Amino acid sequence: MSQTEVKDWAKYSAGLKARGKELGQLHPDIVKGFVALSNGAAQTKHLDAKTREFIALAVAITTKCDGCIDAHARKAKAAGATKEEIAEALGVAIALNAGAAYTYALHVLDAVGD
């Protein structure tokens, strides 16, 4: 489901969980590995949970991951993030994506040459 098709985030989340269970039955080791990685990254020893979720949301929009948006929007709200704080974090991600496009545009100029 593309990001433009997601209208009901609760339904989308339930669908992801169901499909995740199916993948877990088909390939339990990969799901166990993913869960271990995710749990390890969720440990907040130096960053608070809200900051971690701001980073996760920024990466989610950069990688265009609807599942990540779903999970980390809920986690950010649970960590006490306001809509204004989330918008500010997303603004940083938008700016960096524009910066990356700008930098790669310069690579094109290099590739074209004189």
Side-chain angles (χ1 to χ4, degrees), residues 8-17 49-50 52-54 56-57 60 66-82 86:
D8 183 341
W9 285 97
K11 183 177 177 182
Y12 179 76
S13 183
L16 285 179
K17 288 177 185 170
K50 192 163 64 166
R52 182 193 178 281
E53 295 309 324
F54 292 150
L57 285 169
D66 288 337
C68 300
I69 290 168
D70 171 54
H72 295 289
R74 285 186 283 105
K75 289 179 180 182
K77 286 171 39 180
T82 66
I86 291 169

Side-chain angles (χ1 to χ4, degrees), residues 41-85:
Q43 300 302 313
T44 53
K45 296 178 183 174
H46 302 286
L47 297 175
D48 60 64
K50 192 163 64 166
T51 301
R52 182 193 178 281
E53 295 309 324
F54 292 150
I55 294 167
L57 285 169
V59 172
I61 67 167
T62 299
T63 59
K64 301 175 186 168
C65 177
D66 288 337
C68 300
I69 290 168
D70 171 54
H72 295 289
R74 285 186 283 105
K75 289 179 180 182
K77 286 171 39 180
T82 66
K83 193 175 259 189
E84 293 79 11
E85 289 173 321

